[in-house]
Amino acid sequence: MHLRKRILVTGGSGFVGSHLCERLLAEGHEVLCVDNFFTGTRGNVEALRRNPRFELLRHDVTFPLYVEVDEIYNLACPASPVHYQHDPVQTIKTSVHGAINMLGLAKRTGAVIFQASTSEVYGDPEIHPQPESYWGHVNPIGPRSCYDEGKRCAEALFFAYRLQHGLKIKVGRLFNTYGPRMHPGDGRVVSNFIVQALRGRPLTVYGDGEQTRSFCYIDDFLDLLALFMRTPDDVTGPMNMGNPGEFTMRELAECVIDLAGSSSVIEHRPLPADDPRQRRPDISVARSLGWEPKVPLREGLARTIAYFDRLLASDDGPAVCGGGSLFL
Ligand code: NAD
Ligand code: UDP
């Protein structure tokens, strides 16, 4: 039995945030979900709004927020390359000003604060798999830098606030996380491939498709997050949060076509600039907390395909399902 806490989730109506809000409510906590609805939707948290312990506030984290909370999960930030590159200045402000505002809030309230950092801090890695001790290989002025450097600066801020003000911080580096409630027009590879396969359209594999990623199912991520938040104050991370299974984008495309029972073919498109060649977390630190990912890629994909299948068949599904950008 946990003590009831007042918990703030920024970016709470996005993909990861909505699952987190749901889990925190199920544990009996009060949840304040803050979001500017840039990539998240009210629909993601619609079912939670019936719960009297849930509150939804439209707010942009680049502006200060004055609330009383015991715990903060700072997730606000677009995660899809299509979206974070749409307005790169706002992406940097969200990561940097957002972190400053949320850290200021944690400082005043004494709240424990989690930062959703990313494998992007490793850039196009020269060390494989990537341990937390690796400093990364990031282009500071490329198309991905608004996100990569924004998140790196946020990590620096978290550790500076801990050093200077003794804040209770937890920094997690998420590797590609997927599952139901990803937006069908989000532009990330898992949602793109699934929507394309279900609609019988070609799967758009960028480049030769030999680049790799490691995909973590949302439930596994949430299990690790819960363990991380229960660690003593001196356990700050940064900690890799991901599944070490590594797949090429070609393998992912073939797997999605197979699981969806689709007749789609693969179509190659140009590789975006600075697209990392490989990604795989060293998860020794996460394992030391007693965690192990449980959901294999095929199983997680099957669950996600089932979700998108229902969504596309529903009344409001097809209107938003381009398999491309939310803005197209
Ligand atoms: P998402 O785009 O679905 O969710 C992000 C949420 O943040 C959205 O609801 C969006 O509207 C909100 N948001 C964006 N800018 C905001 C602002 N200025 N103020 C308030 N809200 C704002 O993405 P996600 O996959 O749920 O990612 C959640 C977090 O996890 C992000 O910080 C992301 O960088 C990090 N992350 C995710 C992954 C992944 O694979 N899902 C990988 C690495 C890191
Ligand atoms: N990708 C792809 N087809 C798509 C979308 C993405 O081949 O329709 C590739 C992309 O080039 C990258 C990988 O899939 O190599 C993961 O892309 P995503 O945008 O999901 O996230 P990233 O890990 O690059 O931030």
PDB file of all heavy atoms in Angstrom, residues 13-45:
ATOM      1  N   SER A  13      -0.786  14.120 -21.380  1.00  0.00           N
ATOM      2  CA  SER A  13      -1.775  13.629 -22.341  1.00  0.00           C
ATOM      3  C   SER A  13      -1.115  13.077 -23.601  1.00  0.00           C
ATOM      4  O   SER A  13      -1.784  12.783 -24.581  1.00  0.00           O
ATOM      5  CB  SER A  13      -2.792  14.718 -22.692  1.00  0.00           C
ATOM      6  OG  SER A  13      -2.176  15.689 -23.491  1.00  0.00           O
ATOM      7  N   GLY A  14       0.213  12.922 -23.555  1.00  0.00           N
ATOM      8  CA  GLY A  14       0.910  12.275 -24.669  1.00  0.00           C
ATOM      9  C   GLY A  14       0.871  10.760 -24.522  1.00  0.00           C
ATOM     10  O   GLY A  14       0.182  10.217 -23.646  1.00  0.00           O
ATOM     11  N   PHE A  15       1.614  10.094 -25.370  1.00  0.00           N
ATOM     12  CA  PHE A  15       1.619   8.622 -25.376  1.00  0.00           C
ATOM     13  C   PHE A  15       2.099   8.053 -24.034  1.00  0.00           C
ATOM     14  O   PHE A  15       1.340   7.380 -23.324  1.00  0.00           O
ATOM     15  CB  PHE A  15       2.481   8.138 -26.561  1.00  0.00           C
ATOM     16  CG  PHE A  15       3.019   6.759 -26.393  1.00  0.00           C
ATOM     17  CD1 PHE A  15       2.168   5.670 -26.180  1.00  0.00           C
ATOM     18  CD2 PHE A  15       4.393   6.533 -26.432  1.00  0.00           C
ATOM     19  CE1 PHE A  15       2.679   4.386 -26.012  1.00  0.00           C
ATOM     20  CE2 PHE A  15       4.901   5.254 -26.267  1.00  0.00           C
ATOM     21  CZ  PHE A  15       4.047   4.190 -26.048  1.00  0.00           C
ATOM     22  N   VAL A  16       3.324   8.348 -23.651  1.00  0.00           N
ATOM     23  CA  VAL A  16       3.857   7.792 -22.397  1.00  0.00           C
ATOM     24  C   VAL A  16       3.105   8.371 -21.202  1.00  0.00           C
ATOM     25  O   VAL A  16       2.729   7.652 -20.270  1.00  0.00           O
ATOM     26  CB  VAL A  16       5.379   8.076 -22.263  1.00  0.00           C
ATOM     27  CG1 VAL A  16       5.894   7.583 -20.904  1.00  0.00           C
ATOM     28  CG2 VAL A  16       6.169   7.415 -23.387  1.00  0.00           C
ATOM     29  N   GLY A  17       2.877   9.696 -21.248  1.00  0.00           N
ATOM     30  CA  GLY A  17       2.260  10.387 -20.113  1.00  0.00           C
ATOM     31  C   GLY A  17       0.887   9.844 -19.767  1.00  0.00           C
ATOM     32  O   GLY A  17       0.548   9.699 -18.579  1.00  0.00           O
ATOM     33  N   SER A  18       0.083   9.533 -20.784  1.00  0.00           N
ATOM     34  CA  SER A  18      -1.276   9.066 -20.494  1.00  0.00           C
ATOM     35  C   SER A  18      -1.236   7.699 -19.807  1.00  0.00           C
ATOM     36  O   SER A  18      -2.026   7.424 -18.904  1.00  0.00           O
ATOM     37  CB  SER A  18      -2.123   9.019 -21.764  1.00  0.00           C
ATOM     38  OG  SER A  18      -1.581   8.105 -22.690  1.00  0.00           O
ATOM     39  N   HIS A  19      -0.307   6.838 -20.229  1.00  0.00           N
ATOM     40  CA  HIS A  19      -0.168   5.536 -19.547  1.00  0.00           C
ATOM     41  C   HIS A  19       0.313   5.721 -18.111  1.00  0.00           C
ATOM     42  O   HIS A  19      -0.125   5.026 -17.200  1.00  0.00           O
ATOM     43  CB  HIS A  19       0.824   4.649 -20.305  1.00  0.00           C
ATOM     44  CG  HIS A  19       0.262   4.060 -21.564  1.00  0.00           C
ATOM     45  ND1 HIS A  19      -0.516   2.940 -21.582  1.00  0.00           N
ATOM     46  CD2 HIS A  19       0.368   4.466 -22.852  1.00  0.00           C
ATOM     47  CE1 HIS A  19      -0.866   2.651 -22.817  1.00  0.00           C
ATOM     48  NE2 HIS A  19      -0.345   3.568 -23.620  1.00  0.00           N
ATOM     49  N   LEU A  20       1.217   6.681 -17.938  1.00  0.00           N
ATOM     50  CA  LEU A  20       1.741   6.935 -16.589  1.00  0.00           C
ATOM     51  C   LEU A  20       0.629   7.456 -15.674  1.00  0.00           C
ATOM     52  O   LEU A  20       0.474   6.995 -14.537  1.00  0.00           O
ATOM     53  CB  LEU A  20       2.907   7.927 -16.661  1.00  0.00           C
ATOM     54  CG  LEU A  20       3.505   8.348 -15.325  1.00  0.00           C
ATOM     55  CD1 LEU A  20       4.063   7.164 -14.549  1.00  0.00           C
ATOM     56  CD2 LEU A  20       4.617   9.395 -15.550  1.00  0.00           C
ATOM     57  N   CYS A  21      -0.151   8.431 -16.172  1.00  0.00           N
ATOM     58  CA  CYS A  21      -1.273   8.962 -15.369  1.00  0.00           C
ATOM     59  C   CYS A  21      -2.204   7.828 -14.945  1.00  0.00           C
ATOM     60  O   CYS A  21      -2.632   7.747 -13.785  1.00  0.00           O
ATOM     61  CB  CYS A  21      -2.075   9.989 -16.172  1.00  0.00           C
ATOM     62  SG  CYS A  21      -1.199  11.539 -16.453  1.00  0.00           S
ATOM     63  N   GLU A  22      -2.502   6.960 -15.891  1.00  0.00           N
ATOM     64  CA  GLU A  22      -3.414   5.843 -15.618  1.00  0.00           C
ATOM     65  C   GLU A  22      -2.859   4.956 -14.495  1.00  0.00           C
ATOM     66  O   GLU A  22      -3.570   4.580 -13.568  1.00  0.00           O
ATOM     67  CB  GLU A  22      -3.557   5.033 -16.912  1.00  0.00           C
ATOM     68  CG  GLU A  22      -4.663   4.028 -16.916  1.00  0.00           C
ATOM     69  CD  GLU A  22      -4.778   3.354 -18.288  1.00  0.00           C
ATOM     70  OE1 GLU A  22      -3.960   3.598 -19.199  1.00  0.00           O
ATOM     71  OE2 GLU A  22      -5.699   2.550 -18.422  1.00  0.00           O
ATOM     72  N   ARG A  23      -1.579   4.658 -14.591  1.00  0.00           N
ATOM     73  CA  ARG A  23      -0.973   3.783 -13.582  1.00  0.00           C
ATOM     74  C   ARG A  23      -0.921   4.461 -12.211  1.00  0.00           C
ATOM     75  O   ARG A  23      -1.195   3.832 -11.183  1.00  0.00           O
ATOM     76  CB  ARG A  23       0.430   3.353 -14.017  1.00  0.00           C
ATOM     77  CG  ARG A  23       0.928   2.235 -13.136  1.00  0.00           C
ATOM     78  CD  ARG A  23       2.224   1.659 -13.596  1.00  0.00           C
ATOM     79  NE  ARG A  23       2.098   0.692 -14.667  1.00  0.00           N
ATOM     80  CZ  ARG A  23       2.926  -0.355 -14.811  1.00  0.00           C
ATOM     81  NH1 ARG A  23       3.896  -0.547 -13.938  1.00  0.00           N
ATOM     82  NH2 ARG A  23       2.807  -1.184 -15.807  1.00  0.00           N
ATOM     83  N   LEU A  24      -0.593   5.741 -12.188  1.00  0.00           N
ATOM     84  CA  LEU A  24      -0.503   6.449 -10.898  1.00  0.00           C
ATOM     85  C   LEU A  24      -1.874   6.542 -10.230  1.00  0.00           C
ATOM     86  O   LEU A  24      -1.996   6.420  -9.008  1.00  0.00           O
ATOM     87  CB  LEU A  24       0.101   7.839 -11.107  1.00  0.00           C
ATOM     88  CG  LEU A  24       1.558   7.856 -11.588  1.00  0.00           C
ATOM     89  CD1 LEU A  24       1.986   9.271 -11.975  1.00  0.00           C
ATOM     90  CD2 LEU A  24       2.498   7.300 -10.509  1.00  0.00           C
ATOM     91  N   LEU A  25      -2.912   6.744 -11.043  1.00  0.00           N
ATOM     92  CA  LEU A  25      -4.276   6.771 -10.494  1.00  0.00           C
ATOM     93  C   LEU A  25      -4.640   5.397  -9.939  1.00  0.00           C
ATOM     94  O   LEU A  25      -5.229   5.291  -8.857  1.00  0.00           O
ATOM     95  CB  LEU A  25      -5.282   7.170 -11.576  1.00  0.00           C
ATOM     96  CG  LEU A  25      -5.291   8.645 -11.989  1.00  0.00           C
ATOM     97  CD1 LEU A  25      -6.172   8.846 -13.213  1.00  0.00           C
ATOM     98  CD2 LEU A  25      -5.770   9.545 -10.842  1.00  0.00           C
ATOM     99  N   ALA A  26      -4.259   4.350 -10.668  1.00  0.00           N
ATOM    100  CA  ALA A  26      -4.565   2.982 -10.223  1.00  0.00           C
ATOM    101  C   ALA A  26      -3.871   2.677  -8.896  1.00  0.00           C
ATOM    102  O   ALA A  26      -4.349   1.863  -8.105  1.00  0.00           O
ATOM    103  CB  ALA A  26      -4.149   1.976 -11.291  1.00  0.00           C
ATOM    104  N   GLU A  27      -2.742   3.348  -8.653  1.00  0.00           N
ATOM    105  CA  GLU A  27      -2.031   3.160  -7.374  1.00  0.00           C
ATOM    106  C   GLU A  27      -2.646   4.003  -6.260  1.00  0.00           C
ATOM    107  O   GLU A  27      -2.158   3.988  -5.127  1.00  0.00           O
ATOM    108  CB  GLU A  27      -0.549   3.526  -7.540  1.00  0.00           C
ATOM    109  CG  GLU A  27       0.240   2.488  -8.326  1.00  0.00           C
ATOM    110  CD  GLU A  27       1.664   2.934  -8.643  1.00  0.00           C
ATOM    111  OE1 GLU A  27       2.049   4.068  -8.248  1.00  0.00           O
ATOM    112  OE2 GLU A  27       2.371   2.162  -9.295  1.00  0.00           O
ATOM    113  N   GLY A  28      -3.643   4.814  -6.605  1.00  0.00           N
ATOM    114  CA  GLY A  28      -4.360   5.569  -5.576  1.00  0.00           C
ATOM    115  C   GLY A  28      -3.910   7.008  -5.397  1.00  0.00           C
ATOM    116  O   GLY A  28      -4.354   7.687  -4.462  1.00  0.00           O
ATOM    117  N   HIS A  29      -3.039   7.497  -6.276  1.00  0.00           N
ATOM    118  CA  HIS A  29      -2.531   8.858  -6.118  1.00  0.00           C
ATOM    119  C   HIS A  29      -3.461   9.911  -6.743  1.00  0.00           C
ATOM    120  O   HIS A  29      -4.338   9.583  -7.526  1.00  0.00           O
ATOM    121  CB  HIS A  29      -1.144   8.974  -6.762  1.00  0.00           C
ATOM    122  CG  HIS A  29      -0.150   8.030  -6.168  1.00  0.00           C
ATOM    123  ND1 HIS A  29       0.223   8.094  -4.845  1.00  0.00           N
ATOM    124  CD2 HIS A  29       0.529   6.978  -6.699  1.00  0.00           C
ATOM    125  CE1 HIS A  29       1.100   7.128  -4.584  1.00  0.00           C
ATOM    126  NE2 HIS A  29       1.295   6.433  -5.692  1.00  0.00           N
ATOM    127  N   GLU A  30      -3.185  11.182  -6.397  1.00  0.00           N
ATOM    128  CA  GLU A  30      -3.840  12.301  -7.077  1.00  0.00           C
ATOM    129  C   GLU A  30      -2.927  12.732  -8.209  1.00  0.00           C
ATOM    130  O   GLU A  30      -1.720  12.904  -8.001  1.00  0.00           O
ATOM    131  CB  GLU A  30      -4.012  13.481  -6.118  1.00  0.00           C
ATOM    132  CG  GLU A  30      -5.075  13.251  -5.073  1.00  0.00           C
ATOM    133  CD  GLU A  30      -5.118  14.397  -4.061  1.00  0.00           C
ATOM    134  OE1 GLU A  30      -4.798  15.538  -4.433  1.00  0.00           O
ATOM    135  OE2 GLU A  30      -5.451  14.111  -2.904  1.00  0.00           O
ATOM    136  N   VAL A  31      -3.492  12.908  -9.390  1.00  0.00           N
ATOM    137  CA  VAL A  31      -2.662  13.205 -10.556  1.00  0.00           C
ATOM    138  C   VAL A  31      -3.097  14.515 -11.213  1.00  0.00           C
ATOM    139  O   VAL A  31      -4.265  14.684 -11.570  1.00  0.00           O
ATOM    140  CB  VAL A  31      -2.737  12.049 -11.591  1.00  0.00           C
ATOM    141  CG1 VAL A  31      -1.978  12.420 -12.865  1.00  0.00           C
ATOM    142  CG2 VAL A  31      -2.184  10.758 -10.992  1.00  0.00           C
ATOM    143  N   LEU A  32      -2.140  15.423 -11.342  1.00  0.00           N
ATOM    144  CA  LEU A  32      -2.367  16.654 -12.092  1.00  0.00           C
ATOM    145  C   LEU A  32      -1.626  16.508 -13.417  1.00  0.00           C
ATOM    146  O   LEU A  32      -0.393  16.446 -13.456  1.00  0.00           O
ATOM    147  CB  LEU A  32      -1.821  17.862 -11.312  1.00  0.00           C
ATOM    148  CG  LEU A  32      -1.814  19.196 -12.063  1.00  0.00           C
ATOM    149  CD1 LEU A  32      -3.213  19.600 -12.522  1.00  0.00           C
ATOM    150  CD2 LEU A  32      -1.197  20.296 -11.181  1.00  0.00           C
ATOM    151  N   CYS A  33      -2.394  16.444 -14.491  1.00  0.00           N
ATOM    152  CA  CYS A  33      -1.824  16.267 -15.828  1.00  0.00           C
ATOM    153  C   CYS A  33      -1.747  17.640 -16.493  1.00  0.00           C
ATOM    154  O   CYS A  33      -2.761  18.321 -16.640  1.00  0.00           O
ATOM    155  CB  CYS A  33      -2.741  15.330 -16.612  1.00  0.00           C
ATOM    156  SG  CYS A  33      -2.408  15.248 -18.372  1.00  0.00           S
ATOM    157  N   VAL A  34      -0.536  18.035 -16.863  1.00  0.00           N
ATOM    158  CA  VAL A  34      -0.332  19.342 -17.482  1.00  0.00           C
ATOM    159  C   VAL A  34       0.146  19.130 -18.913  1.00  0.00           C
ATOM    160  O   VAL A  34       1.086  18.365 -19.146  1.00  0.00           O
ATOM    161  CB  VAL A  34       0.715  20.135 -16.656  1.00  0.00           C
ATOM    162  CG1 VAL A  34       1.307  21.252 -17.474  1.00  0.00           C
ATOM    163  CG2 VAL A  34       0.094  20.666 -15.380  1.00  0.00           C
ATOM    164  N   ASP A  35      -0.504  19.799 -19.858  1.00  0.00           N
ATOM    165  CA  ASP A  35      -0.131  19.586 -21.262  1.00  0.00           C
ATOM    166  C   ASP A  35      -0.581  20.782 -22.096  1.00  0.00           C
ATOM    167  O   ASP A  35      -1.599  21.400 -21.801  1.00  0.00           O
ATOM    168  CB  ASP A  35      -0.825  18.319 -21.781  1.00  0.00           C
ATOM    169  CG  ASP A  35      -0.042  17.659 -22.899  1.00  0.00           C
ATOM    170  OD1 ASP A  35       0.078  18.273 -23.980  1.00  0.00           O
ATOM    171  OD2 ASP A  35       0.464  16.548 -22.708  1.00  0.00           O
ATOM    172  N   ASN A  36       0.208  21.094 -23.141  1.00  0.00           N
ATOM    173  CA  ASN A  36      -0.242  22.168 -24.048  1.00  0.00           C
ATOM    174  C   ASN A  36      -0.884  21.592 -25.313  1.00  0.00           C
ATOM    175  O   ASN A  36      -1.201  22.338 -26.234  1.00  0.00           O
ATOM    176  CB  ASN A  36       0.917  23.100 -24.413  1.00  0.00           C
ATOM    177  CG  ASN A  36       1.945  22.431 -25.304  1.00  0.00           C
ATOM    178  OD1 ASN A  36       1.910  21.223 -25.502  1.00  0.00           O
ATOM    179  ND2 ASN A  36       2.867  23.220 -25.842  1.00  0.00           N
ATOM    180  N   PHE A  37      -1.051  20.273 -25.359  1.00  0.00           N
ATOM    181  CA  PHE A  37      -1.696  19.560 -26.466  1.00  0.00           C
ATOM    182  C   PHE A  37      -1.006  19.766 -27.805  1.00  0.00           C
ATOM    183  O   PHE A  37      -1.651  19.801 -28.842  1.00  0.00           O
ATOM    184  CB  PHE A  37      -3.192  19.920 -26.549  1.00  0.00           C
ATOM    185  CG  PHE A  37      -3.924  19.662 -25.274  1.00  0.00           C
ATOM    186  CD1 PHE A  37      -4.537  20.700 -24.581  1.00  0.00           C
ATOM    187  CD2 PHE A  37      -3.966  18.392 -24.725  1.00  0.00           C
ATOM    188  CE1 PHE A  37      -5.189  20.469 -23.380  1.00  0.00           C
ATOM    189  CE2 PHE A  37      -4.615  18.154 -23.524  1.00  0.00           C
ATOM    190  CZ  PHE A  37      -5.229  19.192 -22.852  1.00  0.00           C
ATOM    191  N   PHE A  38       0.303  19.927 -27.773  1.00  0.00           N
ATOM    192  CA  PHE A  38       1.046  20.064 -29.031  1.00  0.00           C
ATOM    193  C   PHE A  38       1.013  18.741 -29.798  1.00  0.00           C
ATOM    194  O   PHE A  38       0.650  18.700 -30.972  1.00  0.00           O
ATOM    195  CB  PHE A  38       2.489  20.501 -28.740  1.00  0.00           C
ATOM    196  CG  PHE A  38       3.345  20.593 -29.974  1.00  0.00           C
ATOM    197  CD1 PHE A  38       2.938  21.353 -31.071  1.00  0.00           C
ATOM    198  CD2 PHE A  38       4.555  19.922 -30.051  1.00  0.00           C
ATOM    199  CE1 PHE A  38       3.723  21.433 -32.221  1.00  0.00           C
ATOM    200  CE2 PHE A  38       5.345  19.999 -31.189  1.00  0.00           C
ATOM    201  CZ  PHE A  38       4.931  20.761 -32.280  1.00  0.00           C
ATOM    202  N   THR A  39       1.382  17.652 -29.143  1.00  0.00           N
ATOM    203  CA  THR A  39       1.268  16.334 -29.774  1.00  0.00           C
ATOM    204  C   THR A  39       0.338  15.411 -28.995  1.00  0.00           C
ATOM    205  O   THR A  39      -0.095  14.388 -29.524  1.00  0.00           O
ATOM    206  CB  THR A  39       2.647  15.638 -29.879  1.00  0.00           C
ATOM    207  OG1 THR A  39       3.276  15.665 -28.594  1.00  0.00           O
ATOM    208  CG2 THR A  39       3.538  16.345 -30.893  1.00  0.00           C
ATOM    209  N   GLY A  40       0.038  15.744 -27.771  1.00  0.00           N
ATOM    210  CA  GLY A  40      -0.883  14.925 -26.983  1.00  0.00           C
ATOM    211  C   GLY A  40      -2.322  15.337 -27.279  1.00  0.00           C
ATOM    212  O   GLY A  40      -2.573  16.402 -27.838  1.00  0.00           O
ATOM    213  N   THR A  41      -3.256  14.478 -26.897  1.00  0.00           N
ATOM    214  CA  THR A  41      -4.669  14.790 -27.139  1.00  0.00           C
ATOM    215  C   THR A  41      -5.472  14.584 -25.850  1.00  0.00           C
ATOM    216  O   THR A  41      -5.103  13.755 -25.008  1.00  0.00           O
ATOM    217  CB  THR A  41      -5.272  13.852 -28.211  1.00  0.00           C
ATOM    218  OG1 THR A  41      -5.247  12.506 -27.706  1.00  0.00           O
ATOM    219  CG2 THR A  41      -4.497  13.921 -29.516  1.00  0.00           C
ATOM    220  N   ARG A  42      -6.575  15.323 -25.763  1.00  0.00           N
ATOM    221  CA  ARG A  42      -7.489  15.107 -24.631  1.00  0.00           C
ATOM    222  C   ARG A  42      -8.024  13.686 -24.654  1.00  0.00           C
ATOM    223  O   ARG A  42      -8.290  13.085 -23.622  1.00  0.00           O
ATOM    224  CB  ARG A  42      -8.650  16.090 -24.710  1.00  0.00           C
ATOM    225  CG  ARG A  42      -8.300  17.474 -24.244  1.00  0.00           C
ATOM    226  CD  ARG A  42      -9.547  18.364 -24.299  1.00  0.00           C
ATOM    227  NE  ARG A  42      -9.170  19.745 -24.087  1.00  0.00           N
ATOM    228  CZ  ARG A  42      -8.597  20.503 -25.003  1.00  0.00           C
ATOM    229  NH1 ARG A  42      -8.353  20.022 -26.201  1.00  0.00           N
ATOM    230  NH2 ARG A  42      -8.266  21.760 -24.742  1.00  0.00           N
ATOM    231  N   GLY A  43      -8.204  13.157 -25.863  1.00  0.00           N
ATOM    232  CA  GLY A  43      -8.731  11.794 -26.019  1.00  0.00           C
ATOM    233  C   GLY A  43      -7.897  10.770 -25.260  1.00  0.00           C
ATOM    234  O   GLY A  43      -8.440   9.798 -24.726  1.00  0.00           O
ATOM    235  N   ASN A  44      -6.591  10.987 -25.198  1.00  0.00           N
ATOM    236  CA  ASN A  44      -5.710  10.031 -24.508  1.00  0.00           C
ATOM    237  C   ASN A  44      -6.041   9.915 -23.029  1.00  0.00           C
ATOM    238  O   ASN A  44      -5.751   8.882 -22.417  1.00  0.00           O
ATOM    239  CB  ASN A  44      -4.242  10.456 -24.653  1.00  0.00           C
ATOM    240  CG  ASN A  44      -3.630  10.030 -25.969  1.00  0.00           C
ATOM    241  OD1 ASN A  44      -4.171   9.166 -26.645  1.00  0.00           O
ATOM    242  ND2 ASN A  44      -2.511  10.639 -26.332  1.00  0.00           N
ATOM    243  N   VAL A  45      -6.582  10.986 -22.441  1.00  0.00           N
ATOM    244  CA  VAL A  45      -6.864  10.948 -21.002  1.00  0.00           C
ATOM    245  C   VAL A  45      -8.366  11.063 -20.718  1.00  0.00           C
ATOM    246  O   VAL A  45      -8.769  11.240 -19.567  1.00  0.00           O
ATOM    247  CB  VAL A  45      -6.093  12.061 -20.232  1.00  0.00           C
ATOM    248  CG1 VAL A  45      -4.604  11.745 -20.208  1.00  0.00           C
ATOM    249  CG2 VAL A  45      -6.337  13.438 -20.825  1.00  0.00           C
TER     250      VAL A  45
END
